[in-house]
Amino acid sequence: MSFLLHLRSFLINWMAWTILLLLYGPPLLLLTAWRYLINFLATRLHSDYSVCTPNDTLLVHETPDKQPILTGGFCVCVLGKIDSEKLKTLFDQLFLSQENFSMYENLYCDLVKWGGYLFKRQIVLGRLKLENHFQERTLTSGEDFKVVVASWFQEKFQKGLPLWQMMVLHGVEEKGGQSQDYFLFKAHHVLMDGYSFVHILDKLTGVTSPPPGGEEEEDKQGKTFWQELKILWSVPEVVGSFTLPNISFSSKFPESKPLSKFEMLPMACGTCDLEPVREIRRKLGQDLRFPAIIYGLQIGAMRQCLLNSKLVEGDAIPEHVLLSTSLPVLKGNSHPRNKLTNHWSGGYVKIPLKTASAKERILECNKSLELLMKREGTYITWKYLAFLLWLFPTWFHRIVDKLDVVKLCKYRSSMSCIPQSCNVQYKLLGLPVEHIYHAPLMKDAFLTAVLLGCSSSHHNQVDFSLFGHPDWFPDQDAMNTVMSQYMRKELEVLAINAAACQHGNLVPDPNNCANYIQCNHNEEMVRPCPAGLHFNPSASTCDWPQNVQCGGDGGEEESSTSEGGSSSGGWSSSTFPSAQVQITTTTWTSTTTAPDVGGGEEESSSTVTIPETSPSLPPPPPLPPSSSSSPRFAPYFDVNMDGPSLTKVYAKTGQKDFTLAFALGSSEGCKPKWGGANDINDPEILGPVRELQKLGGHFIVATGGAMGPYFEHLCSTVDELASAYKIVLDAVGTNHIDVDVEATIDNDRVNQALAQVQKERPNTTVSYTLMVQAEDYGLTPILGTEVLRNAKKNGVQVNIVNPMTMEFGGPSKDFGDSVIGAAKSVLQQMKGIWPEKGEKELKKMLGVTPMLGRNFNGKIFTQEHAKKLVSWANENQIGLLAFWSVGRDNGGCAGGGISPSCSSIAQGDYEFIKIFQGFK
């Protein structure tokens, strides 16, 4: 297959180059000679002219008087009053001094046309006056700063002066004497690009931002001759693959005027915290590029606009849209760090538009972005396509624009991500910078773009700025709606989708109170609660409706639940300020009761009468085991499941060490019960336990699990929770407690309670059973490593870290190798948490727990995989092996679906127990 693909690629490029060279080779050679002749004549006849590079004029076809708005810049919002004279002095020292002329010579240039081509004309050093480029004004009461900023960015540059301007905009002083001021800077795209603006801001604030493409951008070795030749050879195929599928001669969309026909494009600004966006990235996969999230959000907002407008019907929305973006050219062509230049390249990213799924949009965007980078798309644009456009005179570009024969994805969008120092508080003249809005206002370059936008990541936040097509967004109010409603909604839905897609998570269905979403690896499944119940996200269980606020705007339900378990109404959303985007996701509140010291009940928020019988809950997915310092192999045994007893399993296998699952909370609050229903001292459960203990058996008692209810949630104080742990340990007669974390917990309360138990009972063994995110990643952050770091902080002696090596993916083709690979990744994470411990000691703390047979994500853990795992565990002398579960260790449903009572593969009874008993 690989040979055929290479052959196909070779034939496509060979045919394309043959046609191109035969038809266009001679005229292109003549055109190249003519361009260089014009360059030579212009620079010889005019000593102040310099040649524009291909990238300088990539989007520029005319002088500013004919193509006036092709501008970039930034708007910095600071807390306090900017001293204009100090700012001008600082700017003059940094950028306009004679010793810095070579770095900032573009600040002395305007744009002229000679011989049909564009050239930069340089102003003599002594003739540049900062006063000609500086403005200052004060906002009047009630004036919207966004309107003023947008208007200023779209003003023409003064003729005969270098193509840049700066302004200080003073805000209205508030009652406390505090005000917000704004520093604005703009320049023509010929002179500088987005990272040049970052460089100016860095110099003014004394901050050093990262390279535009990350640390790999620092690789300046360049490409070899053969690498360059290979890229050049692939140009026809790469360009064709990105353009031909997206060319259209007609559109179902209504015609819209080019952006250049409008005097003013409205602008919107917004802000969200960076950490939730990072969390979305972690949950959707570590290979997800940050720009993919930003691009997907903008296209999602564009989709909502289309659906809510009367300009287009829903079925007329195309499957995909193209987003043009600026991207750095990496490896060998690094951005000049101390020079203002137009160096960045660009490309088109294909993003789903019709789908309602924010997650699907971002994941598909990421694939397109990866393909663009993998196939050197930005490098080809920077090195070859820009050069080709550079050869043609301005009149040729003007004719092509006016003909408008072929439309490349007519209603496209544009978005750029500007990287800055994310963890640093910027300060301008000592004033803290609150927001940085970059403005990519190239309205004469993108004739049909619906939205032009830019994001800036800094100081643990993301600032957005958007300019809209006036046919879609006719005024400032319409643009405010984009930011306060459409972007906010897209962020909120994405946060919920991302949370839902972390394996094992249970999250609310945003459209139905009586449903919840379960994710098995990357597959989302909407499941109903039993009739009459609503999903309670605080406890990750189905609960009585009066314990959960769901419906209207955070108040009462819009309608009651029907018998089928369906419900109209959905989860209440947070309120978002009109000028900002907050990624505060859907807010849920619940009411619980907990016993007080006197034996009564103390209200958490309102009085709720709970029936004697707890509601039936959705069946939990298979759960992982626990670990201990005494049993080496202790498979999970579901104490509430019908099937062979512990003594019968022992009679057939000789196995007498087990993990008992699960001790949970109940309708009585903090009082532990088996499965949330059976008394913790139930003789039917503990009788077989006692029999095996007489024979030398050891037991681990597990709390938590996939569904709950966790008594960790229902015990409201550290003392109550510590008491609950001791009740469970005493009931079983063991010193080993395992906390299985598959829902968020109060880390401090849980770990302080465990530390208290260990202090009172020094021989108590504590293990944590935690979820695996990926083979090459290890434990999930929030439900994994953060729990362990908190345990260490609170003084818990964690004896076993037991990863659930189930329902995850990875690069290994063999799932047995994936299980071992995940265990190795967890071991590396443990080294970071306990650097003071040696590798041998950490291995003694490591457990591994796979799920027998078929997993929910389709992976199958076989007998051969088990043998491989046992062999690796013996070689490395890890602390514990277990599996989920004893009840599944049979072949009673070979070839069938997932079942709690069989493995769904062909096997003998208790075959896995016998294999795992080889772990010594």
Side-chain angles (χ1 to χ4, degrees):
M1 183 62 71
S2 178
F3 170 75
L4 292 177
L5 289 175
H6 284 297
L7 179 62
R8 174 181 172 275
S9 176
F10 173 81
L11 292 174
I12 289 174
N13 288 309
W14 178 76
M15 291 175 62
W17 275 115
T18 300
I19 294 170
L20 288 171
L21 291 175
L22 289 176
L23 293 180
Y24 302 109
L28 280 177
L29 284 174
L30 290 174
L31 186 61
T32 302
W34 175 253
R35 173 75 214 237
Y36 279 98
L37 176 62
I38 294 296
N39 290 349
F40 176 80
L41 293 174
T43 53
R44 290 299 180 274
L45 295 174
H46 302 276
S47 59
D48 56 345
Y49 283 16
S50 61
V51 178
C52 291
T53 67
N55 265 73
D56 289 339
T57 54
L58 181 61
L59 299 171
V60 185
H61 307 146
E62 280 290 356
T63 52
D65 58 319
K66 293 182 179 179
Q67 192 182 9
I69 311 299
L70 210 141
T71 305
F74 59 81
C75 170
V76 175
C77 172
V78 302
L79 193 61
K81 188 174 181 61
I82 296 175
D83 187 320
S84 299
E85 292 304 317
K86 287 184 179 180
L87 180 62
K88 287 192 288 185
T89 300
L90 178 63
F91 192 92
D92 188 77
Q93 291 173 349
L94 291 173
F95 303 109
L96 302 181
S97 62
Q98 190 161 1
E99 57 267 25
N100 291 333
F101 175 77
S102 61
M103 289 190 294
Y104 304 123
E105 58 184 333
N106 271 3
L107 290 175
Y108 297 84
C109 294
D110 70 348
L111 203 60
V112 295
K113 186 163 62 176
W114 195 90
Y117 293 96
L118 294 174
F119 292 87
K120 286 187 281 190
R121 181 176 60 184
Q122 197 169 90
I123 304 298
V124 177
L125 180 62
R127 290 169 52 194
L128 192 151
K129 295 182 179 181
L130 184 57
E131 289 75 13
N132 294 331
H133 298 267
F134 181 81
Q135 299 177 44
E136 184 174 11
R137 60 158 293 185
T138 301
L139 287 172
T140 60
S141 180
E143 195 172 21
D144 190 337
F145 91 93
K146 297 187 291 298
V147 175
V148 176
V149 170
S151 175
W152 182 79
F153 270 117
Q154 294 174 65
E155 288 178 359
K156 293 183 179 181
F157 292 103
Q158 296 183 45
K159 192 172 183 179
L161 291 178
L163 305 176
W164 60 275
Q165 290 285 323
M166 54 194 288
M167 179 170 79
V168 170
L169 181 63
H170 297 294
V172 178
E173 193 169 289
E174 298 177 358
K175 290 182 179 180
Q178 190 69 278
S179 67
Q180 281 188 335
D181 278 10
Y182 306 88
F183 168 58
L184 288 73
F185 182 89
K186 68 176 181 180
H188 198 283
H189 200 50
V190 164
L191 305 185
M192 59 190 77
D193 57 16
Y195 197 71
S196 295
F197 297 128
V198 173
H199 173 73
I200 290 174
L201 188 57
D202 282 357
K203 295 290 285 185
L204 289 171
T205 58
V207 175
T208 301
S209 291
E215 293 306 319
E216 65 173 325
E217 192 263 350
E218 291 301 314
D219 177 7
K220 300 185 180 181
Q221 296 177 1
K223 300 183 186 299
T224 66
F225 171 78
W226 294 110
Q227 288 174 328
E228 197 75 58
L229 190 62
K230 182 180 178 181
I231 293 172
L232 179 61
W233 174 257
S234 69
V235 166
E237 183 187 9
V238 173
V239 173
S241 66
F242 280 101
T243 56
L244 293 179
N246 300 298
I247 291 178
S248 63
F249 292 89
S250 64
S251 173
K252 292 183 181 179
F253 282 149
E255 290 295 327
S256 287
K257 296 185 288 293
L259 292 174
S260 55
K261 299 295 183 182
F262 297 94
E263 288 187 12
M264 176 81 167
L265 305 187
M267 174 188 180
C269 300
T271 297
C272 74
D273 291 338
L274 182 58
E275 182 53 36
V277 181
R278 285 171 170 162
E279 184 64 16
I280 289 171
R281 185 183 182 189
R282 286 192 290 265
K283 288 178 177 177
L284 291 182
Q286 290 299 304
D287 59 344
L288 185 68
R289 290 178 178 267
F290 182 81
I293 299 177
I294 304 302
Y295 300 161
L297 290 175
Q298 193 215 36
I299 297 302
M302 174 178 162
R303 175 183 177 275
Q304 292 182 59
C305 165
L306 296 178
L307 290 175
N308 291 324
S309 71
K310 296 181 180 179
L311 294 172
V312 61
E313 297 296 329
D315 59 356
I317 297 178
E319 292 292 334
H320 294 82
V321 69
L322 285 190
L323 181 141
S324 57
T325 180
S326 297
L327 295 166
V329 181
L330 307 181
K331 295 186 177 180
N333 300 284
S334 300
H335 193 291
R337 300 299 300 276
N338 295 310
K339 188 175 182 179
L340 304 183
T341 179
N342 188 1
H343 183 87
W344 277 23
S345 179
Y348 286 107
V349 181
K350 192 173 183 179
I351 306 177
L353 181 64
K354 200 162 193 173
T355 178
S357 171
K359 184 185 72 174
E360 179 184 342
R361 189 163 16 258
I362 284 173
L363 293 178
E364 286 297 316
C365 172
N366 192 61
K367 289 181 182 178
S368 181
L369 193 58
E370 288 287 346
L371 183 63
L372 180 68
M373 303 300 286
K374 180 180 179 181
R375 304 197 70 181
E376 300 282 5
T378 57
Y379 184 82
I380 288 172
T381 302
W382 179 78
K383 187 70 176 285
Y384 301 112
L385 297 186
F387 175 79
L388 185 64
L389 294 173
W390 177 76
L391 294 177
F392 290 90
T394 57
W395 58 262
F396 176 84
H397 293 290
R398 188 166 59 250
I399 291 173
V400 172
D401 284 344
K402 287 185 176 180
L403 287 176
D404 198 24
V405 177
V406 176
K407 300 178 177 66
L408 184 62
C409 195
K410 182 174 174 59
Y411 283 87
R412 66 191 182 201
S413 187
S414 175
M415 192 75 184
S416 298
C417 293
I418 307 296
Q420 296 182 217
S421 294
C422 294
N423 301 316
V424 176
Q425 170 69 71
Y426 284 72
K427 289 187 177 182
L428 179 65
L429 299 176
L431 303 175
V433 171
E434 290 198 318
H435 303 290
I436 303 173
Y437 302 118
H438 286 268
L441 221 170
M442 298 175 286
K443 85 175 187 185
D444 287 324
F446 295 102
L447 299 181
T448 54
V450 174
L451 285 172
L452 295 164
C454 202
S455 75
S456 171
S457 305
H458 68 97
H459 196 217
N460 294 316
Q461 68 188 47
V462 183
D463 289 330
F464 298 93
S465 56
L466 292 174
F467 291 86
H469 193 298
D471 275 353
W472 303 90
F473 315 102
D475 53 31
Q476 188 60 51
D477 288 341
M479 282 305 294
N480 286 343
T481 299
V482 173
M483 195 62 70
S484 65
Q485 295 184 28
Y486 300 155
M487 285 288 278
R488 184 271 302 166
K489 178 68 179 296
E490 195 74 6
L491 284 163
E492 181 179 289
V493 170
L494 178 61
I496 292 175
N497 289 165
C501 200
Q502 187 176 18
H503 162 66
N505 265 17
L506 304 174
V507 298
D509 181 345
N511 301 312
N512 195 321
C513 302
N515 290 346
Y516 64 95
I517 298 172
Q518 181 180 358
C519 182
N520 290 305
H521 202 46
N522 287 323
E523 182 182 359
E524 294 178 9
M525 296 179 290
V526 177
R527 293 186 171 179
C529 286
L533 301 183
H534 284 179
F535 184 74
N536 185 339
S538 297
S540 294
T541 63
C542 292
D543 204 347
W544 300 110
Q546 60 263 42
N547 289 355
V548 185
Q549 279 192 4
C550 181
D553 295 325
E556 297 180 359
E557 300 166 64
E558 295 172 6
S559 65
S560 60
T561 307
S562 65
E563 283 189 11
S566 64
S567 169
S568 62
W571 294 90
S572 60
S573 299
S574 303
T575 301
F576 291 84
S578 60
Q580 287 194 336
V581 173
Q582 296 180 352
I583 196 165
T584 307
T585 57
T586 303
T587 301
W588 305 282
T589 58
S590 63
T591 303
T592 58
T593 58
D596 63 15
V597 178
E601 288 187 336
E602 187 174 298
E603 294 181 2
S604 299
S605 58
S606 64
T607 303
V608 177
T609 302
I610 301 178
E612 293 182 0
T613 306
S614 60
S616 58
L617 304 175
L623 304 172
S626 133
S627 53
S628 103
S629 57
S630 43
R632 297 277 285 159
F633 165 52
Y636 266 87
F637 185 87
D638 189 341
V639 297
N640 286 328
M641 193 182 81
D642 292 334
S645 67
L646 287 168
T647 51
K648 289 182 179 179
V649 175
Y650 168 73
K652 292 189 175 183
T653 64
Q655 180 66 26
K656 52 190 177 184
D657 297 339
F658 295 92
T659 301
L660 303 180
F662 284 97
L664 302 173
S666 67
S667 60
E668 297 179 53
C670 187
K671 183 178 180 180
K673 291 191 176 184
W674 293 113
N678 297 321
D679 190 89
I680 200 69
N681 292 305
D682 188 335
E684 290 189 14
I685 294 174
L686 295 184
V689 171
R690 300 287 181 256
E691 291 296 321
L692 293 187
Q693 285 175 327
K694 291 177 183 177
L695 298 172
H698 297 89
F699 289 87
I700 303 168
V701 59
T703 73
M707 272 302 298
Y710 288 25
F711 62 71
E712 283 87 352
H713 293 151
L714 300 176
C715 298
S716 57
T717 67
V718 171
D719 287 341
E720 284 181 356
L721 184 53
S723 177
Y725 284 135
K726 287 184 284 187
I727 288 171
V728 170
L729 291 170
D730 292 342
V732 176
T734 181
N735 66 347
H736 189 153
I737 189 78
D738 173 67
V739 184
D740 181 342
V741 181
E742 298 186 55
T744 55
I745 58 174
D746 186 324
N747 288 341
D748 282 326
R749 185 164 67 225
V750 170
N751 284 315
Q752 287 170 18
L754 290 171
Q756 182 173 315
V757 173
Q758 285 186 320
K759 184 177 180 181
E760 295 174 7
R761 303 179 179 190
N763 66 336
T764 301
T765 297
V766 172
S767 60
Y768 265 115
T769 297
L770 305 167
M771 293 163 55
V772 168
Q773 181 160 308
E775 172 189 345
D776 50 359
Y777 185 83
L779 300 175
T780 63
I782 291 180
L783 302 182
T785 52
E786 289 183 17
V787 176
L788 296 177
R789 292 184 191 280
N790 184 272
K792 182 179 180 181
K793 183 188 79 171
N794 280 294
V796 179
Q797 178 63 47
V798 178
N799 303 97
I800 293 289
V801 176
N802 184 35
M804 297 181 248
T805 52
M806 58 185 81
E807 317 298 348
F808 67 94
S812 298
K813 295 181 180 179
D814 183 274
F815 192 49
D817 291 336
S818 288
V819 168
I820 294 172
K824 291 178 179 178
S825 295
V826 173
L827 186 62
Q828 290 303 312
Q829 291 175 314
M830 292 167 65
K831 290 179 181 178
I833 297 171
W834 293 284
E836 69 278 6
K837 296 182 183 291
E839 183 162 341
K840 186 175 180 180
E841 186 178 2
L842 289 172
K843 286 181 177 178
K844 284 289 185 183
M845 292 172 60
L846 179 66
V848 182
T849 300
M851 173 172 165
L852 305 184
R854 187 177 298 278
N855 284 225
F856 279 94
N857 64 351
K859 302 286 187 182
I860 297 177
F861 186 80
T862 67
Q863 295 92 324
E864 290 305 312
H865 297 153
K867 293 174 183 177
K868 185 181 292 188
L869 174 60
V870 169
S871 175
W872 178 84
N874 279 323
E875 289 174 7
N876 289 273
Q877 282 298 290
I878 67 172
L880 176 76
L881 279 184
F883 61 69
W884 181 268
S885 67
V886 173
R888 300 185 78 247
D889 195 6
N890 65 82
C893 59
I898 304 296
S899 169
S901 59
C902 53
S903 66
S904 305
I905 64 173
Q907 66 156 95
D909 286 349
Y910 306 118
E911 187 173 354
F912 281 93
I913 284 182
K914 294 169 184 175
I915 294 172
F916 274 72
Q917 284 173 336
F919 177 52
K920 304 298 184 183

